[in-house]
Amino acid sequence: MNIILDLLLLLIIIIYSYLESLVKVFIPQRRKSVAGEIVLITGAGHGIGRHTAYEFAKRKSRLVLWDINKHGVEETAAECRKLGAITHVFVVDCSNREEIYDSVNQVKKEVGDVTIVVNNAGTIYPADLLSTKDEEITKTFEVNILGHFWITKALLPAMMQRNHGHIVTVASVCGHGVIPYIIPYCSSKFAAVGFHRALTSEFEALGKTGIKTSCVCPVFVNTGFTKNPSTRLFPVLETNEVARSLIDGILTNKKMIFVPSYLNIFLTLEKFLPERALAAINHVQDIQFEAVVGHKTKMK
């Protein structure tokens, strides 16, 4: 009898959730304030991290910017200060666990407890699997996913104590679908999406509903890491476009942020298509970028 009641309740919740989502399409969602929040952004020396820092600076957050590139992160910090934000800079290698832990301790002493973290630092080595060096595979996982674990573990106790915070995972469309010649990158982004979903579920199980999570999954972004990217079906995004979508998702506590937003529809349809149809779609997309194949750089 209990299982029947539970199933009926589940059905009601599903219907209500769909209706709620439909209403939100037409009614603007309330946006929270991030003024005064201590925001840690990794990979802030360029690209999405830099423009995300600008977005938080405009909203009067207190910024903690991390990057392995001292010159780049200081440039970002200078612009954030012009926008009126108190900004702190740390040169950190997000592939080094001990350096991460030491830097978090330094941030706590000099700035305070971080309330929003944007795990953005990432790396990619476009190449076929046999041309990819072992150390490149290791570095990809150390930066793109293991760093998320170490940073989140170090910052989480203070968030848990207050039941307040926001953990943001910068992933990719490659965390939902695959592209040849970037196998380690795709694998690490699948792990990042899984990390976000599992962490979200754990907070719900622990009753820590005050700690929010968001995961952003853009298509190709013009960051300079991948040379000459192009595709027929989706635009190559600029970093400021992704940052605007990301900040909008954070302010509305959106859990999964696709850029462009219609990417979600495409990924949903993809789950129901047979393999031959998927292969045809990949052919039509004609995704291209420079990659090392057979130890030679080619457009693939």
Side-chain angles (χ1 to χ4, degrees):
M1 190 65 181
N2 286 339
I3 186 66
I4 295 174
L5 291 174
D6 286 344
L7 289 172
L8 285 172
L9 180 60
L10 175 62
L11 181 61
I12 292 170
I13 291 171
I14 290 172
I15 294 170
Y16 176 81
S17 298
Y18 272 109
L19 291 173
E20 184 183 38
S21 297
L22 184 63
V23 169
K24 286 180 179 178
V25 171
F26 301 100
I27 300 176
Q29 288 181 268
R30 184 179 177 183
R31 282 160 171 72
K32 67 183 180 183
S33 171
V34 290
E37 299 280 1
I38 299 178
V39 182
L40 168 60
I41 303 171
T42 67
H46 70 289
I48 296 171
R50 169 173 286 181
H51 285 277
T52 300
Y54 295 165
E55 294 296 330
F56 275 108
K58 293 172 188 175
R59 291 162 176 83
K60 308 306 177 188
S61 301
R62 188 172 180 180
L63 300 179
V64 178
L65 306 181
W66 283 14
D67 202 284
I68 197 170
N69 183 331
K70 183 179 180 181
H71 177 71
V73 74
E74 286 181 344
E75 280 188 344
T76 304
E79 187 62 32
C80 289
R81 291 177 184 126
K82 288 180 185 178
L83 292 168
I86 298 171
T87 307
H88 307 264
V89 171
F90 296 82
V91 178
V92 184
D93 179 359
C94 287
S95 70
N96 187 313
R97 181 178 57 186
E98 295 307 318
E99 193 169 323
I100 287 170
Y101 286 160
D102 290 344
S103 297
V104 167
N105 288 333
Q106 190 178 354
V107 169
K108 288 179 180 178
K109 290 176 183 177
E110 297 180 12
V111 186
D113 289 323
V114 170
T115 52
I116 300 175
V117 57
V118 181
N119 283 313
N120 167 72
T123 190
I124 185 172
Y125 300 94
D128 69 282
L129 184 59
L130 293 179
S131 299
T132 307
K133 299 175 183 176
D134 290 356
E135 54 269 28
E136 291 173 339
I137 296 172
T138 301
K139 180 67 74 174
T140 299
F141 278 85
E142 285 175 340
V143 176
N144 292 4
I145 182 58
L146 290 178
H148 293 212
F149 276 89
W150 315 142
I151 293 167
T152 303
K153 280 191 70 179
L155 298 175
L156 198 52
M159 292 186 187
M160 295 279 280
Q161 187 176 11
R162 299 177 183 179
N163 192 25
H164 174 76
H166 203 134
I167 298 170
V168 182
T169 302
V170 178
S172 165
V173 66
C174 294
H176 299 270
V178 295
I179 298 174
Y181 308 115
I182 47 172
I183 291 176
Y185 180 80
C186 289
S187 303
S188 68
K189 292 303 181 179
F190 263 88
V193 171
F195 172 80
H196 158 74
R197 287 178 170 164
L199 187 65
T200 302
S201 179
E202 188 162 298
F203 287 149
E204 291 173 358
L206 292 170
K208 296 297 181 179
T209 55
I211 304 175
K212 308 302 181 182
T213 59
S214 296
C215 180
V216 62
C217 297
V219 293
F220 272 118
V221 185
N222 187 22
T223 59
F225 283 142
T226 306
K227 303 297 182 184
N228 301 316
S230 67
T231 173
R232 287 178 178 174
L233 296 184
F234 298 107
V236 176
L237 302 169
E238 295 301 322
T239 53
N240 59 333
E241 295 177 74
V242 179
R244 285 196 298 268
S245 295
L246 176 55
I247 194 71
D248 186 67
I250 292 169
L251 296 180
T252 56
N253 293 324
K254 192 172 184 179
K255 286 185 170 58
M256 190 64 71
I257 307 160
F258 290 103
V259 191
S261 57
Y262 60 80
L263 182 63
N264 186 27
I265 299 172
F266 179 81
L267 291 171
T268 301
L269 289 173
E270 194 177 54
K271 295 177 182 178
F272 299 98
L273 294 174
E275 289 186 13
R276 185 176 294 177
L278 290 175
I281 290 173
N282 290 334
H283 178 73
V284 171
Q285 284 191 93
D286 191 28
I287 297 172
Q288 294 192 26
F289 52 90
E290 286 188 16
V292 176
V293 180
H295 303 287
K296 294 181 181 180
T297 302
K298 301 178 181 179
M299 284 294 293
K300 287 294 175 184

